[in-house]
Amino acid sequence: MPWDRNQMAERAAKELEDGFYVNLGIGIPTLVANYIGENIDVTLQSENGMLGMGPFPYEDEIDPDLINAGKQTITELRRTSYFSSADSFGMIRGGHIDIAILGAMEVSEKGDLANWMIPGKLVKGMGGAMDLVAGVKRVVVVMDHASKSGAPKLLHECSLPLTGQQVVDMVITNLGVFKVDRGKGMTLIELAPDVSIENVKSSTQADFNIAI
Amino acid sequence: MPWDRNQMAERAAKELEDGFYVNLGIGIPTLVANYIGENIDVTLQSENGMLGMGPFPYEDEIDPDLINAGKQTITELRRTSYFSSADSFGMIRGGHIDIAILGAMEVSEKGDLANWMIPGKLVKGMGGAMDLVAGVKRVVVVMDHASKSGAPKLLHECSLPLTGQQVVDMVITNLGVFKVDRGKGMTLIELAPDVSIENVKSSTQADFNIAI
Amino acid sequence: MQKIYPDAAATLEGLLFDGMTIMAGGFGLCGIPENLILALRDSGVKNLTVISNNAGVDDFGLGLLLKTRQIKKMVSSYVGENKEFERQYLSGELELEFNPQGTLAERCRAGGAGIPGFYTRTGVGTQIAEGKEHKEFNGEIYILETGLVADLSIVKAWKGDEQGNLIYRKTARNFNPMMATAGKVTVAEVEEIVPLGSFDPDNIHTPGIFVQRLIKGEHEKRIEQRTVRQRENA
Amino acid sequence: MQKIYPDAAATLEGLLFDGMTIMAGGFGLCGIPENLILALRDSGVKNLTVISNNAGVDDFGLGLLLKTRQIKKMVSSYVGENKEFERQYLSGELELEFNPQGTLAERCRAGGAGIPGFYTRTGVGTQIAEGKEHKEFNGEIYILETGLVADLSIVKAWKGDEQGNLIYRKTARNFNPMMATAGKVTVAEVEEIVPLGSFDPDNIHTPGIFVQRLIKGEHEKRIEQRTVRQRENA
């Protein structure tokens, strides 16, 4: 049975290590925060200028001056620090964030990533996505294996405009987990329960090695 | 009678305007602070990371964490802010300081400035001088008109390694005041009491116009 | 030097001209100069190039200047939270220049710090890199991005004093500090004007040198995504 | 993740190797990592390239590492407050690279922020510009300077907490914040370690992400130019 959104998030959470500074994207990546092991201590960064992001507020704690990069109201922790957007992206660009977990539309076998625009549709902008994939030490993509219409999203080459070139280190889909050697190729390293290698192959365009 | 050090500082202080942010160099420029008119309000910057520099401390106020760019103990004011060296030189390089008053070894008729090294002698470094002359809106030099041996310091071309090229807007010496049009030429606009134009000419190598 | 002005309209007097470039602080609707945006709308100044991470919503923030067609071009990283923006953009009435968010932040910081260009890895191999100079450092490719300055920067802080020293609150800081440094003139609105000497000088975020004019504003502080959790036992 | 270490020697364990590059915060003797410099001396690590605005005095600060000949090269803006420095430099034993102070500060900031190069007007037309790329922006000439990173940064702050969040005091801040961002590993010494949550999160100067190890030190805080005024009436 393929993983559901929560199970994908749970799998992604296993990539976190004690002491990590972590940036979580919008959508499934946000759910990763629910599965952080109790024995590890990680600090969440929000690229609008915060390190040490806490949970969503209770109704009576809401503060309009305290939001995350998805513009949602959040809370602070005892470790929290605030800084400007320039300092925040200095942190990101400078390679100080250990891992970013992001959604994607397409990933190529060499680790190219597309997640910011579909030509012909309204383009809202890349926000901080290009900075994150270019700067963070390790980039993990969490996405459905295929589009709603069944088209593969793991491709030889991305068809959509890129967010970053050779930037992805791992892809977690509902069918399994791929390790990516940037610029080289990808390897299937894990399968969701009751998913076969054939299942994966049939909905993947990208070439991949297998090491399960 | 040529101006003494204090009179030169007093003359330089006339270049300050209400609301100005000001950087004063070491030596005679430091004395300028003593002659700031009571009807104008200026803020002194110290390039090691302080805006709103106060006077020297009383003995019981000395704080080793509070020094100026000359490493002297100083005090803070109610308006004071502290910041990093990067932010401080961002302020300087970005053209936010209205005026810098500096000492010099040589100034050329086109506004080149040399004040950081003498070949063959021990070089201590340029510190913040190159940043100041390149970034501050207006650069005023205060120096003796000639060296101790009588050699002119206002030259056609500087003989010493430059601190900045075409960066000086005014030179105040013990003999008088010169306006400099960067890259063009200099004009004598004021004489110290009982100093004649001939006095000035005889100890100046640089060409200059006269507009007194 | 009196930096404190009576109201938003007064702070903008003599600073506005058609075709000018304005930087506006804020991230989404958080930390935006609400009062100064309203005063810009009322001034009628037009053909503006506005540098701001986002473009507000239909009836709040920069959306108000879109509605009145005062904006000719936006330089942003993420927009489209409002329908009027979408309509004007799709019809070609509005120009739009996308910048990666970190590149936009750094461009403002560079402009304020006298740095006309810098290299970044962000955007290499993407549309963003097209037409930009590429350069190798230590075996990696980077692209050249330029510093940005504005004729006017409008920023929002939490508190300010008569010297123009500012402090921001929580994530409402965002783009405001860099934009404050990159305006030929910078006007700030604050929630509270405090007596000189109230701030600990170690904690001032924007030194007064960057702020030429200041007002106390009234702030609605609208929330874009009100997200809460429930208490387990009420 | 335990960031707090028992003493200066312990914080440097496993981080040192001959020929490494070290950034050291401070301006003159103000805000220098006194304890970590002593621990570096005692470690015997040698052939160091040290990036620091100044080089201490004969018997304090980085002067101690000069005396023991552990430094091969200094990258600084102003030095020569000590005789041993002068002797080694004039005899050719010590390499020296001068940077304008603002360029040095910006190079450290750039290195920490992932910017491999930036343009500046500082030094154009001087010796500093020789051999560097020149480029025109808006009719003015600028030179290319590169970002700096270090194998290790040692910084001094006033207070720190167990997450490595730091605050500095007055002008002892100087180069410490940028250098903290530009070390592959950054070790900080503070005068006081405070309980987590003691800092107002709006006032933290160096977020803990930049600090891997931390100690409480003992600080002499020597004054270089003791300058006072007299009270008119005692």
Side-chain angles (χ1 to χ4, degrees):
Chain A
M1 210 171 56
W3 286 320
D4 64 17
R5 289 163 56 89
N6 282 306
Q7 288 166 321
M8 287 159 71
E10 188 172 3
R11 175 60 189 81
K14 289 189 183 154
E15 299 303 312
L16 306 181
E17 295 175 24
D18 189 41
F20 264 23
Y21 292 89
V22 179
N23 187 292
L24 300 178
I26 295 171
I28 301 176
T30 303
L31 301 175
V32 172
N34 300 332
Y35 298 99
I36 297 170
E38 296 205 348
N39 52 338
I40 67 166
D41 180 48
V42 305
T43 301
L44 301 181
Q45 201 244 19
S46 189
E47 65 263 31
N48 53 318
M50 179 184 197
L51 203 59
M53 187 165 55
F56 294 127
Y58 296 118
E59 185 68 38
D60 55 12
E61 289 177 331
I62 283 179
D63 183 339
D65 288 339
L66 182 42
I67 65 171
N68 65 18
K71 282 120 185 170
Q72 296 170 309
T73 45
I74 45 157
T75 57
E76 67 184 27
L77 303 169
R78 287 191 306 156
R79 71 180 58 183
T80 299
S81 55
Y82 300 106
F83 32 82
S84 72
S85 300
D87 286 345
S88 182
F89 283 95
M91 206 175 271
I92 290 167
R93 201 189 304 104
H96 302 281
I97 307 284
D98 295 291
I99 192 168
I101 302 179
L102 304 168
M105 298 169 182
E106 296 177 348
V107 176
S108 83
E109 58 199 33
K110 295 204 167 160
D112 297 350
L113 169 70
N115 72 350
W116 78 281
M117 74 172 284
I118 300 176
K121 291 208 179 176
L122 182 73
V123 182
K124 293 196 169 186
M126 71 291 286
M130 284 189 181
D131 309 280
L132 282 161
V133 300
V136 171
K137 280 184 206 149
R138 190 149 181 272
V139 173
V140 173
V141 166
V142 181
M143 65 176 190
D144 284 331
H145 202 90
S147 74
K148 278 170 194 161
S149 63
K153 299 172 71 171
L154 286 170
L155 307 169
H156 295 310
E157 297 284 346
C158 293
S159 65
L160 298 171
L162 295 188
T163 306
Q165 201 172 38
Q166 301 181 14
V167 293
V168 176
D169 297 290
M170 176 174 273
V171 182
I172 297 169
T173 76
N174 48 330
L175 301 188
V177 181
F178 296 81
K179 187 166 71 73
V180 185
D181 289 321
R182 297 183 182 199
K184 299 192 182 118
M186 55 202 306
T187 306
L188 178 65
I189 58 168
E190 227 175 292
L191 288 169
D194 303 325
V195 171
S196 71
I197 290 174
E198 282 315 305
N199 292 152
V200 173
K201 278 192 172 161
S202 68
S203 56
T204 306
Q205 184 201 80
D207 290 326
F208 58 90
N209 297 314
I210 298 164
I212 295 182
Chain B
M1 211 174 55
W3 286 321
D4 64 19
R5 289 162 56 89
N6 283 306
Q7 288 167 321
M8 287 160 71
E10 187 172 5
R11 175 60 190 81
K14 289 189 183 153
E15 299 304 313
L16 306 182
E17 296 176 24
D18 189 39
F20 263 23
Y21 292 89
V22 179
N23 186 294
L24 299 178
I26 295 171
I28 301 176
T30 303
L31 300 175
V32 172
N34 300 333
Y35 298 98
I36 298 170
E38 295 206 348
N39 53 339
I40 68 166
D41 180 47
V42 304
T43 301
L44 301 181
Q45 200 243 20
S46 188
E47 66 264 31
N48 53 320
M50 180 183 196
L51 204 58
M53 188 165 53
F56 294 127
Y58 296 118
E59 185 68 35
D60 54 12
E61 288 178 331
I62 283 180
D63 183 340
D65 289 338
L66 182 42
I67 64 170
N68 65 16
K71 281 122 189 167
Q72 297 170 308
T73 45
I74 46 156
T75 57
E76 67 185 26
L77 303 169
R78 287 192 306 155
R79 72 180 58 185
T80 298
S81 54
Y82 299 106
F83 32 82
S84 72
S85 301
D87 286 344
S88 183
F89 283 95
M91 205 175 270
I92 289 166
R93 199 188 304 105
H96 303 280
I97 307 284
D98 295 292
I99 192 168
I101 303 179
L102 305 168
M105 298 170 181
E106 296 177 347
V107 176
S108 84
E109 59 200 32
K110 298 205 165 159
D112 298 348
L113 170 69
N115 72 351
W116 77 281
M117 72 173 284
I118 301 175
K121 289 207 181 178
L122 183 72
V123 182
K124 292 196 172 187
M126 70 292 286
M130 285 191 181
D131 309 280
L132 282 161
V133 300
V136 171
K137 279 183 205 150
R138 190 150 181 272
V139 173
V140 173
V141 166
V142 182
M143 65 175 191
D144 283 333
H145 201 91
S147 73
K148 278 172 193 160
S149 63
K153 299 173 71 170
L154 288 169
L155 306 170
H156 296 308
E157 298 284 345
C158 293
S159 66
L160 298 172
L162 296 188
T163 306
Q165 200 172 40
Q166 300 180 13
V167 293
V168 176
D169 298 289
M170 176 174 273
V171 182
I172 298 168
T173 76
N174 48 328
L175 301 186
V177 180
F178 296 81
K179 186 166 71 74
V180 185
D181 290 320
R182 295 183 183 202
K184 296 187 183 123
M186 52 203 307
T187 306
L188 179 65
I189 58 170
E190 227 175 292
L191 288 169
D194 302 325
V195 171
S196 71
I197 291 174
E198 281 315 306
N199 291 152
V200 173
K201 279 192 172 161
S202 68
S203 57
T204 305
Q205 184 201 80
D207 290 327
F208 58 90
N209 297 313
I210 298 163
I212 295 184
Chain C
M1 276 307 267
Q2 180 55 261
K3 292 189 176 183
I4 300 172
Y5 280 62
D7 58 53
T11 57
L12 298 181
E13 225 169 83
L15 302 180
L16 305 181
F17 57 93
D18 293 346
M20 73 189 295
T21 297
I22 298 179
M23 281 188 191
F27 178 85
L29 302 180
C30 181
I32 62 173
E34 301 179 23
N35 297 267
L36 292 164
I37 290 170
L38 283 169
L40 276 178
R41 183 194 59 185
D42 296 344
S43 78
V45 64
K46 57 184 193 292
N47 288 326
L48 299 175
T49 295
V50 177
I51 301 168
S52 180
N53 190 59
N54 314 92
V57 295
D58 271 327
D59 63 342
F60 197 64
L62 292 173
L64 297 172
L65 301 184
L66 287 164
K67 195 182 279 180
T68 52
R69 314 266 189 104
Q70 287 170 271
I71 300 178
K72 182 187 67 178
K73 180 179 177 182
M74 289 291 308
V75 178
S76 303
S77 91
Y78 192 85
V79 296
E81 302 291 359
N82 68 69
K83 294 217 168 44
E84 180 59 19
F85 184 96
E86 193 171 328
R87 197 197 59 68
Q88 288 182 27
Y89 177 57
L90 292 176
S91 71
E93 292 167 54
L94 181 69
E95 289 171 62
L96 179 56
E97 177 192 315
F98 277 128
N99 283 231
Q101 194 174 140
T103 296
L104 183 62
E106 189 66 16
R107 292 182 73 192
C108 297
R109 193 251 171 211
I115 292 172
F118 61 90
Y119 291 92
T120 175
R121 205 159 39 218
T122 300
V124 171
T126 76
Q127 284 183 1
I128 287 299
E130 286 169 18
K132 289 179 183 158
E133 185 193 315
H134 288 58
K135 197 178 188 78
E136 193 176 317
F137 292 87
N138 302 317
E140 278 226 60
I141 302 293
Y142 297 80
I143 54 174
L144 178 64
E145 297 280 0
T146 55
L148 287 172
V149 292
D151 297 308
L152 170 68
S153 284
I154 54 173
V155 302
K156 191 272 175 181
W158 184 31
K159 296 180 181 180
D161 69 22
E162 68 182 51
Q163 288 285 328
N165 293 311
L166 302 180
I167 62 171
Y168 306 94
R169 187 170 173 274
K170 303 187 190 285
T171 57
R173 190 183 315 185
N174 55 66
F175 280 82
N176 286 295
M178 298 83 74
M179 288 184 170
T181 70
K184 285 176 201 159
V185 180
T186 292
V187 179
E189 60 176 63
V190 297
E191 295 176 48
E192 188 184 347
I193 292 176
V194 299
L196 195 61
S198 304
F199 295 143
D200 178 337
D202 280 327
N203 298 342
I204 290 170
H205 297 131
T206 293
I209 189 171
F210 297 114
V211 177
Q212 282 71 49
R213 301 183 184 187
L214 183 70
I215 49 154
K216 180 187 173 318
E218 297 296 327
H219 296 91
E220 177 187 336
K221 295 208 213 179
R222 198 181 289 189
I223 293 173
E224 226 164 324
Q225 304 284 343
R226 195 177 188 87
T227 314
V228 298
R229 59 175 168 156
Q230 303 303 322
R231 284 202 166 79
E232 314 269 315
N233 277 314
Chain D
M1 277 308 265
Q2 180 55 258
K3 291 189 176 181
I4 301 173
Y5 279 63
D7 58 53
T11 58
L12 297 181
E13 224 169 85
L15 302 179
L16 305 181
F17 57 94
D18 291 348
M20 72 188 296
T21 296
I22 297 178
M23 283 188 188
F27 178 86
L29 302 180
C30 182
I32 61 172
E34 301 180 22
N35 297 267
L36 292 164
I37 290 170
L38 282 171
L40 276 178
R41 182 194 61 183
D42 295 343
S43 78
V45 64
K46 56 183 192 295
N47 288 324
L48 300 175
T49 294
V50 176
I51 302 167
S52 180
N53 190 60
N54 313 92
V57 295
D58 271 326
D59 61 343
F60 198 62
L62 292 173
L64 297 173
L65 302 184
L66 288 165
K67 194 182 282 183
T68 53
R69 315 269 189 100
Q70 287 170 272
I71 300 178
K72 182 187 66 180
K73 180 179 178 182
M74 288 292 310
V75 179
S76 303
S77 92
Y78 192 85
V79 294
E81 301 291 0
N82 66 69
K83 295 217 166 47
E84 180 59 20
F85 184 96
E86 192 171 330
R87 197 197 60 69
Q88 288 182 26
Y89 176 58
L90 293 177
S91 70
E93 292 167 53
L94 180 69
E95 290 172 61
L96 178 58
E97 179 192 313
F98 277 127
N99 283 232
Q101 193 174 141
T103 295
L104 183 62
E106 190 65 17
R107 292 183 73 191
C108 297
R109 193 253 172 209
I115 292 171
F118 62 91
Y119 291 93
T120 176
R121 204 159 40 222
T122 300
V124 170
T126 75
Q127 284 184 359
I128 287 299
E130 287 170 17
K132 288 177 185 160
E133 185 193 314
H134 287 58
K135 197 178 187 78
E136 193 176 317
F137 292 87
N138 303 317
E140 278 227 60
I141 302 293
Y142 297 80
I143 54 172
L144 178 64
E145 296 281 1
T146 55
L148 287 173
V149 291
D151 297 307
L152 171 67
S153 283
I154 54 174
V155 302
K156 193 273 175 180
W158 185 31
K159 295 179 182 179
D161 68 22
E162 68 183 51
Q163 288 286 328
N165 292 310
L166 303 178
I167 62 171
Y168 306 94
R169 186 168 174 275
K170 303 188 189 287
T171 57
R173 191 182 316 185
N174 56 63
F175 280 82
N176 286 295
M178 300 84 74
M179 289 185 170
T181 70
K184 285 177 200 156
V185 179
T186 292
V187 178
E189 60 177 63
V190 297
E191 294 176 48
E192 189 185 347
I193 291 177
V194 299
L196 195 60
S198 304
F199 294 143
D200 179 339
D202 281 327
N203 298 344
I204 289 169
H205 297 131
T206 292
I209 190 171
F210 297 113
V211 178
Q212 282 71 49
R213 302 182 185 187
L214 182 70
I215 49 155
K216 179 186 175 316
E218 298 297 327
H219 296 90
E220 177 186 337
K221 296 207 213 177
R222 197 180 291 187
I223 293 172
E224 225 163 326
Q225 303 284 342
R226 193 177 190 89
T227 314
V228 297
R229 57 177 169 156
Q230 302 304 322
R231 284 202 165 78
E232 312 271 313
N233 275 317

